[in-house]
């Protein structure tokens, strides 16, 4: 029996010889995370060679001395292993992320305007600090994300689900006990800071961020149960159903449509990817049928309780003219109609050409009521009632003394309509460049995931890239006048600390998996990272490679 399968009270001389050799090798390796697998591999080679010598009658002590000698100088071996276990950076993806964040910050500066003096610059830096926060999150997750996930995967899943349950309790409380928060605040039973925090936690923006990051947790849950495919797929469906329940608790309506669809489509894509790669214990046909069946059941579970609102949003998507209200600056149906009206008039380069009269008609929405009747499509006003519309025109005219493109586009055009703004302001060619830049993110994210060797890492990275892909496609469709519910997140370009943080966590995890891919092997991703030094201090030795 090889000597380290026993646990001696005092380490033998052979044990010390091997451990001293491994320590000398380890000193040459810059990444210390992968030392467990490196030492395990070297011990396996030493054990095999020592067993070979002992077969020819060499005593154990001498056999291990010769085996260690045959391995070569430890500094040379360490330097060669360092080349194989050096951390990597997905530079194209990282550079693209930084460029997109710069585009997002520049877009906000263009929207708000900027005073080019010290106080103005300091104010803008403070106002755009969520981008600095996003950079911090990105690099922290890239540096520590994947090793931390391997060590604490179960705990992270439990904590994340617990957070969702707590938020769900708050959401449902607003449904069954409406107005309790205002009452508690007015009667001073809750301090203002507490009530303000509760309002923030129950916002649709927080929900979007939870769903966006949650796909990583769902992927880990499914991966742990991949050899029990149908049990794993049921757990994944229950996880998504919980997200749907959270959305229904506060009944946000259209604002939760896109996050829920991103969650459902991404989880479906992950399950199909597992089947394609053969990581499950079922046939591809049965597995795909179960995945699509679950997807349709969840879609019905989401749509059925709010079918009238879903139908209205579908009508806004396909036939917005039937529901448009021009007197509501936030009306999605009118914004869809306006974008579809303006885009065909855009030029290859330069701003869309409109006369002053056309600017006034678009700015006051009179172009939509050329007959002068002022019929409110989708509203309950009687046909021909023009009073509200005339007041709207009178109100808008005070801002149109010198009409410009900014006066006629929908609200939040630089955030939600970034691509449309480029088309109308700079022309089709620059906008196509921006579109290519936007599409490059999911392409590079998925391409980086496909180059990852270990399975859990690839699955996690793939799920993050899939979220980017779904969000980007939906965002581009919306920018051409086909909006369904609230806007999709525009990764790294959309404003807001929650949006930036969610994108930074997803991208940081992809970069982190790629960074540690060649230093973390399959055994470590299955069982979590283990500290070899702790085992050495307790005088117990790892099992051999064959064991």
């Amino acid at each position: 029996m090889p000597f380290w399968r026993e646990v001696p009270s005092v380490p033998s001389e052979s044990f010390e010889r091997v451990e001293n050799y491994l320590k000398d090798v380890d000193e040459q390796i810059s990444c210390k995370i992968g030392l467990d697998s490196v030492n395990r591999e070297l011990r396996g080679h030493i054990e095999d060679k020592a067993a070979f010598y002992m077969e020819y009658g060499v005593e154990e002590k001498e056999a291990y001395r010769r085996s260690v000698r045959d391995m070569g100088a430890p500094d040379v071996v360490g330097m060669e292993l360092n080349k194989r276990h050096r951390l990597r950076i997905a530079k194209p993806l990282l550079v693209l992320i930084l460029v997109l964040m710069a585009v997002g910050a520049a877009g906000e500066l263009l929207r708000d305007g900027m005073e080019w003096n010290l106080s103005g610059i300091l104010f803008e830096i403070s106002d755009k600090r969520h981008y600095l926060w996003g950079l911090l999150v990105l690099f922290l997750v890239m540096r520590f994300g994947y090793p931390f996930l391997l060590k604490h995967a179960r705990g992270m899943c439990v904590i994340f689900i617990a957070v969702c349950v707590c938020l769900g309790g708050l959401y449902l409380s607003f449904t069954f006990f409406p107005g309790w928060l205002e009452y508690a605040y007015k009667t001073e039973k809750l301090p203002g800071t507490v009530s303000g925090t509760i309002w923030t936690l129950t916002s649709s923006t927080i929900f979007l961020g939870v769903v966006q990051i949650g796909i990583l947790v769902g992927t880990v849950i499914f991966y742990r149960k991949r050899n029990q495919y149908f049990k794993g797929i049921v757990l994944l469906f229950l996880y998504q159903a919980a997200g749907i329940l959270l959305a229904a608790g506060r009944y946000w309506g259209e604002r939760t449509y896109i996050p829920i669809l991103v969650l459902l489509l991404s989880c479906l894509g992950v399950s199909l990817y597992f089947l394609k790669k053969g990581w499950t214990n079922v046939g591809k046909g049965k597995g795909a049928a179960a995945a699509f069946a679950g997807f349709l059941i969840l879609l019905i579970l989401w749509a059925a309780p709010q079918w009238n609102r879903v139908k209205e949003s579908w009508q806004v998507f396909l036939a917005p003219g039937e529901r448009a209200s021009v007197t509501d600056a936030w009306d999605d149906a009118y914004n869809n109609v306006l974008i579809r009206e303006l885009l065909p008039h855009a030029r290859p380069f330069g701003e869309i050409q409109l006369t002053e009269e056309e600017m006034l008609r678009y700015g006051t929405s009179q172009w939509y009521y050329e007959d002068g009747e002022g019929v409110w499509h989708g509203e309950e006003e009687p046909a021909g009632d023009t009073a509200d519309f005339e007041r709207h025109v009178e109100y808008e005219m005070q801002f149109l003394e010198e009409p410009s493109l900014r006066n006629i586009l929908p609200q939040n055009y630089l955030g939600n309509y970034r691509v449309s703004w480029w088309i109308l302001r700079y022309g089709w060619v620059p906008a196509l460049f921006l579109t290519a830049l936007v599409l490059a993110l999911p392409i590079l994210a998925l391409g980086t995931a496909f180059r990852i060797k270990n399975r859990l890492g690839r699955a996690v990275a793939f799920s993050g890239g899939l979220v980017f892909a779904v969000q980007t496609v939906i965002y581009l469709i919306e920018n051409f006048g086909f909006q369904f519910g609230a806007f999709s997140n525009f990764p790294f370009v959309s404003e807001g600390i929650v949006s930036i943080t969610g994108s930074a966590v997803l991208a940081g995890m992809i970069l982190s998996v790629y960074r540690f891919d060649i230093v973390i092997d399959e055994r470590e991703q299955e069982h979590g990272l283990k500290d070899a030094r702790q085992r050495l201090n307790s005088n117990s030795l790892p099992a051999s490679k064959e064991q």
Side-chain angles (χ1 to χ4, degrees):
M1 177 183 294
F3 72 88
W4 54 65
R5 293 189 184 179
E6 301 175 348
V7 183
S9 57
V10 179
S12 67
E13 184 178 342
S14 298
F15 173 85
E16 292 179 352
R17 184 187 303 276
V18 173
E19 290 309 309
N20 289 333
Y21 180 84
L22 294 178
K23 289 178 181 178
D24 291 340
V25 171
D26 291 349
E27 289 178 358
Q28 307 301 319
I29 301 176
S30 58
C31 178
K32 304 305 180 184
I33 290 179
L35 292 183
D36 193 23
S37 61
V38 171
N39 292 342
R40 186 167 56 245
E41 180 182 358
L42 291 177
R43 284 193 185 97
H45 289 310
I46 293 173
E47 179 184 358
D48 292 341
K49 196 63 177 290
F52 174 78
Y53 280 119
M54 285 187 287
E55 287 180 3
Y56 286 88
V58 180
E59 64 175 359
E60 181 181 282
K61 179 179 177 181
E62 179 63 18
Y64 280 101
R65 188 190 69 80
R66 294 184 184 184
S67 179
V68 170
R69 179 202 62 191
D70 294 344
M71 291 296 294
D75 54 346
V76 175
V77 174
M79 286 188 291
E80 290 298 321
L81 289 172
N82 186 51
K83 294 178 182 178
R84 290 168 45 192
H85 292 76
R86 186 170 295 167
L87 297 177
R88 305 181 299 173
I89 297 178
K91 292 182 181 179
L93 178 59
L94 179 59
V95 170
L96 178 64
I97 290 169
L98 297 178
V99 170
L100 287 174
M101 294 184 75
V103 170
E108 290 197 43
L109 291 175
L110 288 173
R111 180 192 62 193
D112 300 336
M114 179 176 178
E115 297 181 8
W116 293 99
N117 51 52
L118 181 59
S119 60
I121 293 173
L122 292 177
F123 173 79
E124 291 299 334
I125 292 176
S126 175
D127 191 49
K128 307 299 183 293
R129 58 186 177 275
H130 50 277
Y131 285 101
L132 299 177
W133 166 254
L135 284 173
L136 177 62
V137 172
L138 176 69
F139 285 105
L140 286 177
V141 176
M142 182 175 68
R143 175 62 181 86
F144 303 105
Y146 189 53
F148 188 85
L149 176 65
L150 288 180
K151 283 185 177 181
H152 308 288
R154 185 185 299 274
M156 288 179 64
C157 292
V158 171
I159 291 173
F160 184 85
I161 292 174
V163 170
C164 291
V165 170
C166 292
L167 291 177
L170 287 174
Y171 301 155
L172 292 174
S173 70
F174 284 108
T175 299
F176 295 108
F177 305 101
W180 72 267
L181 185 60
E182 294 92 335
Y183 172 79
Y185 175 72
K186 291 178 181 179
T187 57
E188 298 183 352
K189 294 182 178 181
L190 281 179
T193 54
V194 174
S195 60
T197 301
I198 293 176
W199 274 119
T200 301
L201 290 176
T202 56
S203 70
S204 57
T205 305
I206 295 294
F207 173 79
L208 184 149
V210 169
V211 171
Q212 185 177 10
I213 299 174
I215 183 63
L216 301 178
V217 178
T219 300
V220 173
I221 293 174
F222 188 54
Y223 182 84
R224 297 300 187 192
K225 299 296 182 182
R226 69 190 183 283
N227 292 325
Q228 300 172 289
Y229 178 80
F230 292 108
K231 182 177 180 180
I233 205 75
V234 168
L235 288 175
L236 189 61
F237 292 158
L238 292 175
Y239 178 76
Q240 297 172 80
I244 294 174
L245 179 63
L246 293 184
R250 183 87 182 271
Y251 205 73
W252 289 315
E254 302 83 13
R255 295 191 64 80
T256 64
Y257 287 0
I258 298 304
I260 288 295
L261 291 177
V262 170
L263 177 66
L264 297 182
L265 290 171
S266 299
C267 287
L268 175 64
V270 167
S271 59
L272 295 178
Y273 184 71
F274 275 48
L275 291 169
K276 180 180 181 300
K277 300 301 293 184
W279 294 348
T280 63
N281 62 339
V282 298
K284 294 182 179 179
K286 290 183 179 179
F292 277 108
F295 173 77
L296 292 176
I297 291 172
L298 290 170
L299 203 60
I300 293 172
L301 175 66
W302 165 72
Q306 49 182 344
W307 175 245
N308 288 334
R309 301 190 71 169
V310 172
K311 185 170 64 175
E312 291 173 3
S313 296
W314 188 251
Q315 190 177 37
V316 169
F317 178 78
L318 293 177
E322 298 180 8
R323 303 198 58 83
S325 170
V326 297
T327 58
D328 182 1
W330 301 93
D331 183 67
D332 295 329
Y334 175 72
N335 292 342
N336 280 352
V337 173
L338 181 60
I339 289 295
R340 295 185 196 183
E341 164 72 15
L342 293 175
L343 288 182
H345 303 291
R347 303 188 302 165
F349 291 95
E351 185 173 321
I352 183 174
Q353 294 297 301
L354 297 173
T355 65
E356 184 174 348
E357 181 182 356
E358 289 174 325
M359 286 280 193
L360 289 173
R361 293 185 66 81
Y362 282 119
T364 59
S365 307
Q366 287 177 298
W367 71 276
Y368 194 67
Y369 290 99
E370 290 184 356
D371 57 3
E373 295 296 328
V375 178
W376 281 45
H377 303 289
E379 301 283 344
E380 297 182 355
E381 272 75 11
D385 184 1
T386 61
D388 288 327
F389 176 66
E390 290 174 352
R391 283 195 294 269
H392 166 74
V393 172
E394 183 180 357
Y395 173 79
E396 291 296 334
M397 283 295 294
Q398 63 181 319
F399 304 107
L400 295 173
E401 294 181 1
E402 297 181 2
S404 66
L405 189 61
R406 290 174 180 266
N407 300 122
I408 69 176
L409 291 183
Q411 291 290 325
N412 271 357
Y413 60 88
L414 276 179
N416 294 337
Y417 295 95
R418 190 68 60 92
V419 176
S420 298
W421 165 254
W422 275 53
I423 294 173
L424 299 173
R425 178 65 178 85
Y426 305 113
W428 281 102
V429 175
L432 289 175
F433 171 77
L434 175 63
T435 303
L437 194 66
V438 169
L439 290 174
L441 176 62
I443 292 173
L444 283 180
L446 292 173
T448 301
F450 294 148
R451 294 198 300 273
I452 293 170
K453 296 179 181 179
N454 64 74
R455 289 182 295 178
L456 175 59
R458 184 187 294 188
V460 169
F462 175 79
S463 67
L466 196 58
V467 172
F468 286 147
V470 175
Q471 288 177 334
T472 300
V473 170
I474 293 176
Y475 184 89
L476 291 175
I477 292 174
E478 291 169 329
N479 266 251
F480 286 88
F482 293 90
Q483 183 179 345
F484 180 81
F487 263 82
S488 169
N489 185 47
F490 193 13
F492 294 106
V493 180
S494 294
E495 58 194 281
I497 189 169
V498 174
S499 172
I500 294 294
T501 301
S503 297
V505 170
L506 290 176
M509 188 60 72
I510 297 173
L511 293 168
S512 183
V513 174
Y514 184 82
R515 173 182 170 86
F516 293 103
D517 180 41
I518 61 177
V519 300
I520 299 178
D521 63 15
E522 290 288 330
R523 186 178 306 191
E524 287 167 334
Q525 64 171 303
E526 289 292 338
H527 303 291
L529 294 174
K530 297 179 180 179
D531 192 342
R533 294 297 172 263
Q534 291 179 355
R535 290 184 296 190
L536 293 178
N537 292 337
S538 63
N539 291 332
S540 63
L541 293 165
S544 67
K545 186 176 182 181
E546 289 77 16
Q547 186 182 21

